[in-house]
Amino acid sequence: MSKTTPDAPAESGAPDDQDLGAAGSQLSTAPTDTLASVPGLGVIGWARWFWRQLTSMRVALLLLLLLALGAIPGSLIPQSGSDETKVAEFREAHETLAQLYDRIGLFHVYSSVWFSAIYILLFVSLIGCIVPRTWQFVGQLRGRPPGAPKRLTRLPAYTTWRTDAEPEQVREAALALLKKRRFRTHLAGDAVAAEKGYLREIGNLAFHIALIVMLVAFAWGQLFKTEGNKLVVEGDGFSNTLTQYDDFKSGTLFSTDDLTPFSFSLKDFTGTYETSGPNKGTPRTYQAALTYSVGAYGKGKKKSVVKVNHPLEIGDSKVYLTAHGYAPVVTVRDGKGDIVYSDAVPLLPLDSNVTSSGVVKVLDGYRNAKGVGEQLAFQAFFLPSYVKGMETASTFPALRNPVLNLAPYHGDLGVNSGIPQSVYQLDTTHMKEFKDSKGLQLRSNLKPGDTMTLPDGAGSITYEGTKEWANFQITQQPGSGWALVGAFGAIFGLAASLFIQRRRVWVRATRGADGVTVVEMAGLGRSESAKVPEELGDLAGILYDQAPGASGPENDSATSPDPHVVPAEGAEK
C-alpha cells in the first residue's frame, strides 16, 4: 500500500496516534481548557494564566450562570429604579433586612458593583474567546482538509473492498461523489480528503457573537433609556418634553436632546366589558383614539388607535396604554356665585370595577362668605355603577349609574410650605370639615347635574358629567432592536452548533501486491455520532456501484463494503 501525502506529514517514526491526531485536528476552534495549568513565574506569567482562565469555556459558562443568578433578586426584590413606592414599603416592613439589602445593592441590582463586574468580565471573556477562534476558523476555510492517516483502520468508521477499477478512476469517482454531496474535497497523494459541516462552527461563533450583541444592546439600552408616565384626560394632550411627564426615569448617559420630538391628543377612550358570566366586568375593548404629530412644530397630524400591547411607535419611542379611569367634571362657585374652579378631576381606581378616589383642590380665587381668602378641598369617591345599598363600591366598571360622593373641607392645603404633596391625597392637618345641620361632617352623593350647597353661604360644587382618562407609558430604549437580533442569532447559532455535525471522510485507492486495487474509506467526526458511520456506509454503497468488487479466488467477505459501517478494530468506541 502506497504512502499518503498529508498537508503536514509526520516525521519518520512518529507513532500512529500522532498521525491520527493530525487527521483529527482543527475539527473545532474551541480553545484548549487550561484551567489546571500552572502559571509561569513573574507578572507576565500570572497575567497570561489569568487571561487563559478568563477566556476558557468553563469560566465563561460560570460567569453566564452567575449573571442569571444575579438577575433573580432583581426580579423578586423591589428595585429603586422602577418602583420607589414598593421599596419604601419594604423598608418599613423589614428594617433589618433592608439594611442588609442596601449594603449589597439588592435594591438596585442592575447598577450594583458586583452585577456590573460579572457583566464586564463575561463581556471580556466572550471577546477574548471569539477573536482567536474567528481567525482560526478563517484559516481553516482558506486551507484544505488534512490528508489521510497512514492507518485508516484506526478511525471510528471504516470499510474496504477490492476492485478491478484503476486507482485513478476510483479517486476521480470519489472526488465527484463527495463534491456532489457538498464536501470540500481535494486529492492528497493516493487518497481523497473531504470535509463537511462547517456551518456547525459558524453557528458556534454566531451564538457567541449574538451573546455579545445582546450584552452591548442591554448596556446601551440601560445607559440611554427613558421611561415615563402621563395621565391624559379626554380632550387633553401630551408633548414629549421632560416637564410634561407625571414621573420620569432615565439612563445614566441620557440627555434631554435624546427625546423624540412628538405630541399627541386623546380624542376618545373606548372600554367595553363582559356583562354576564364568570368573566363579568372583564374588558373586551380597551383602546384609546389619538391624533399625533411628529417633529418639534407639530405638523402633519395623524390618527392612531392604541391598544394594550399594541403601542404607537414614533421613531425610537413607543407609547403604551397602561391604565384607565374616570375624571368627573366639577364646577365650584364661591358665595357670590362666581366660578372659581371648573375642570375634569382624574380619580384613581381602587378595584376592578373602577371604584375611584381622589381630591378636588381649589387653590386660588376662593373667598368665604366673610370675604376672607381660603382654600377648598373635596374628598371624592366615584362609583361608575352605583346600586342602592352598596354605597361603598361600584358593581360594574362601565358608566351605568355614576355617583360622585363628596366631603368638603376649607382652610390651608399647605401647598405653599415647600413640601411636595400628591394631587390624589388630602392633608387635613390645617383643614376644617364643613358641618351639616346635625353637626356631622357634610357629605353628599351627587348624580350628573346635581349640586352640593356649602353651609353659611360658603358656595357650592356641581357635578357636571364624566370624562374618561388613560395613562400612557412612553418608553425609549435604543438597544431593543439589536437585542432582538442578538436573541434570534443566538437561537439559530445554537441550533446549528447542536444539530450540524462536522466530519471528515477519506477515500484511499492503491494497487495491491497482486495488482488488484484496494479501496479504503474512513470517516471521523468531532464527537461520537451515529451519523458518521451511516453517512460513510451510504457513500461507500454508491462508490461501490461505480467500482464494484473484484471477481476471483481472493474474493471474500471483505470485497464488498458493509452498508452500516461499524467501528473498525482498534478504533475508539
Side-chain angles (χ1 to χ4, degrees), residues 143-167:
R144 291 181 173 184
K150 293 180 180 179
R151 294 178 57 189
L152 292 177
T153 55
R154 293 185 57 84
L155 298 182
Y158 173 83
T159 187
T160 182
W161 72 93
R162 293 154 57 84
T163 180
D164 292 329
E166 295 295 325

Side-chain angles (χ1 to χ4, degrees), residues 342-373:
S342 181
D343 203 356
V345 182
L347 304 181
L348 299 182
L350 300 176
D351 55 29
S352 59
N353 286 327
V354 203
T355 304
S356 308
S357 70
V359 181
V360 180
K361 296 181 180 181
V362 181
L363 304 179
D364 301 309
Y366 171 77
R367 292 183 180 274
N368 58 23
K370 297 179 181 180
V372 179

Side-chain angles (χ1 to χ4, degrees), residues 108-129:
H108 50 92
V109 168
Y110 303 111
S111 60
S112 63
V113 175
W114 57 269
F115 190 86
S116 299
I118 297 173
Y119 191 89
I120 294 172
L121 286 175
L122 177 60
F123 186 81
V124 173
S125 177
L126 290 173
I127 292 289
C129 180

Side-chain angles (χ1 to χ4, degrees), residues 6 35 39 180 351 371 485:
L35 195 60
K180 186 178 180 181
D351 55 29
V485 171

